[in-house]
């Protein structure tokens, strides 16, 4: 099981508003599958909440983006590190 904090901002050249970072979280799970010797495969399933806030003189806008990621990583252990 793994988790942590995200700090994301939505910004663009055409947006004339002040944008702030949105601090949210991510959580997920992974499994380490040894293929052979120092090589292993690590699939992960991660949920991440990201977004941003825009403010002008009259209104505040809040955006929430929900992501579900499935990365597959190849681990190679080299030496004692």
């Amino acid at each position: 099981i793994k988790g942590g904090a995200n700090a994301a901002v939505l910004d663009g050249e055409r947006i004339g508003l002040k944008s702030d970072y949105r601090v949210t979280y991510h959580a997920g799970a992974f499994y380490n599958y040894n293929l052979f010797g120092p090589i292993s495969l690590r699939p992960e399933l991660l949920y991440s909440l990201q977004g941003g806030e825009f403010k002008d003189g009259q209104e505040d806008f809040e955006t929430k983006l929900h992501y579900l990621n499935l990365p597959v990583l190849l681990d190679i252990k080299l030496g004692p590190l």
Side-chain angles (χ1 to χ4, degrees), residues 26-48:
H26 68 270
F30 66 92
Y31 179 75
N32 199 15
Y33 179 74
N34 290 327
L35 295 175
F36 56 89
I39 299 175
S40 61
L41 198 62
R42 188 173 75 201
E44 299 181 354
L45 183 62
L46 302 171
Y47 170 76
S48 177

Side-chain angles (χ1 to χ4, degrees), residues 11 15 21 28 33 49 52-53 56 59 69 73 80:
D11 201 2
I15 299 174
Y21 278 90
Y33 179 74
L49 178 61
E53 297 177 1
D56 66 5
E59 294 185 63
N69 298 312
L73 306 172

Side-chain angles (χ1 to χ4, degrees), residues 65-79:
L65 302 172
H66 302 268
Y67 290 96
L68 188 61
N69 298 312
L70 182 61
V72 179
L73 306 172
L74 182 65
D75 287 339
I76 301 175
K77 293 185 176 31
L78 301 173

Side-chain angles (χ1 to χ4, degrees), residues 4-32:
N6 288 336
V9 65
L10 297 175
D11 201 2
E13 294 178 14
R14 295 184 159 195
I15 299 174
L17 305 174
K18 180 183 179 329
S19 59
D20 292 331
Y21 278 90
R22 180 176 177 86
V23 178
T24 58
Y25 64 92
H26 68 270
F30 66 92
Y31 179 75
N32 199 15

